[in-house]
Amino acid sequence: MADIKKLTNEVGAPVADNEHSITAGPRGPVVMQDVWLMEKMAHFNREVIPERRMHAKGWGAYGKLKVTQDVSRLTKAKVLQPGAETELFLRFSTVAGERGAADCERDIRGVAVKFYTQEGNWDLVGNNTPTFFIRDVHNFSDLNRAVKRDPKTGRRSAQNNWDFWTLLPECHHQITITMSERGIPASFRNMNFYGEHTFSLYNQQNERVWCKFHFKTKQGIRCLTNEEAAAITAVDREYHGKDLYEAIERGEYPQWGMYLQIMTEEQARKHYENPFDITKVWPHKEFPLIEVGVLELNRNPENYFAEVEQSAFTPAHVVPGIGFSPDRFLQGRLFAYGDAQRYRLGVNHNHIPVNQAKVPVQEYHRDGAMRVDGNYGGTPAYSPNSAGYWTAQAEVAEPPMPLEGAMWRYDPKDDPTDDCFRAGGNLWRVMDERQRALLIHNTAADMAPVTRNVQYRHAVHCYLADPAYGTRLAEALGLRMATVEALARLDHQGLIQATLSGTME
Ligand code: NDP
């Protein structure tokens, strides 16, 4: 084996000098002939790859999922069979901040898990919240632009953020969680995470159920107040990354219990609201958590760029026994995530070791930038072919998915069962007084720079979720209660019209 400490150039030839440029005379200019110097500068210029548009700031670790229970009646996925142990890589992230952003911002946390299963990679790409702001992928880029930088000032803008959020009432549930104490976790180890979307599971008999994935921390929920987070951020922007890394180095491996919520196709048809709407949750009392096993993180990456930055996830990566659902937001992400990785890392990003499956990959893609394996040699590049290469495996086909209705641009708000405020209200009602006070305090602080009309819009949404929630927020913001109550009697369009003016008192 080569001595790793000896310097060579980019193609393995020894480098004689790595500190002194070749100059024309002892005080003369550098010459083009210093090709190693040119190579160093040129490579350095290209070391930064495009950052993720969202979830740019992240930390990752390896671990395993151990299945301790028997859920084989629900799914044939080998990764979820009793006793199965599967290696995984997990990346935590914030959403809005860029790659250099501080860890302790008020934001939701992305949690993307890549399970290296015997049947190929399964990526579960969720968050530390069981729900999301929006439910139609049409709003996806707009949400992200609203929480990112203002085009004129180049600064993050509370006004843009809250203006957008309050114009889409379905955001209310996720806003409530984000402004609650859980909006700034004490560490990644101290938060739950969720697959968020409704997925499907199907068993050996190809019987389908709808499913939501939950991961509950075994370290206990712990959160930071705004004041604690500000004090930490002043001295340490990498606080959560450091905590995770050091805990794993100490041998304190964080664990989460994995659970499923299951809804039958029949229950879904009768459910009182759209079970595929990501802005809602399925109540625990009606759909109790079913234990699956334990997810543990136990190994730090050797190299941040190679493993964390280059890790790539897409919810499109599922394995037999796990499938999608009609969730229209999930359907959009099935395209958007893989496409983001093709742009960011290139079309062959699944060949990067952290993304590589542990089983043979025979997808018969050819060529493309940075194709570094044998490119399938001389095997046929087309299918079908008489040599029998690249035969589809019909035995893993999932059962047909029943759908209903004509193709159309449906607005979920036209669905009489749609209630954008029930879930946020339910959360308010499960909170104790300490949690409620924090929610009001955090919301009022976040909305302080925002114009009155937008403050009214949100207070009305809170009032519709629970009168006490709206009343407490109105008091904290100094809004007139009579105006909140009058606005709460309007329909959605009426409320928007009445709250368009930034000069509203
Ligand atoms: P339950 O009383 O059965 O469950 C309440 C849930 O709320 C628990 O999972 C609890 O998590 C969680 N919770 C408590 N405080 C917060 C917070 N500040 N932010 C986010 N989650 C919190 O009630 P329901 O199932 O009827 O749901 C009521 C509301 O609870 C929902 O509208 C939703 O906002 C929230 N919730 C529901 C979940 C679900 O899948 N049903 C999942 C997570 C939240 P823990 O037990 O870990 O403390």
Side-chain angles (χ1 to χ4, degrees), residues 130 173 180 182 192 194 214 216 261 281-284 423 426-427:
H173 184 201
S180 80
R182 296 196 187 180
N192 297 339
Y194 310 84
H214 298 246
K216 289 195 151 219
Q261 268 186 311
V281 289
W282 300 352
H284 288 126
N426 285 345
L427 181 56

Side-chain angles (χ1 to χ4, degrees), residues 87-100:
E87 274 183 69
L88 59 91
F89 181 77
L90 183 151
R91 181 176 181 271
F92 294 111
S93 54
T94 47
V95 181
E98 292 85 0
R99 199 146 50 190

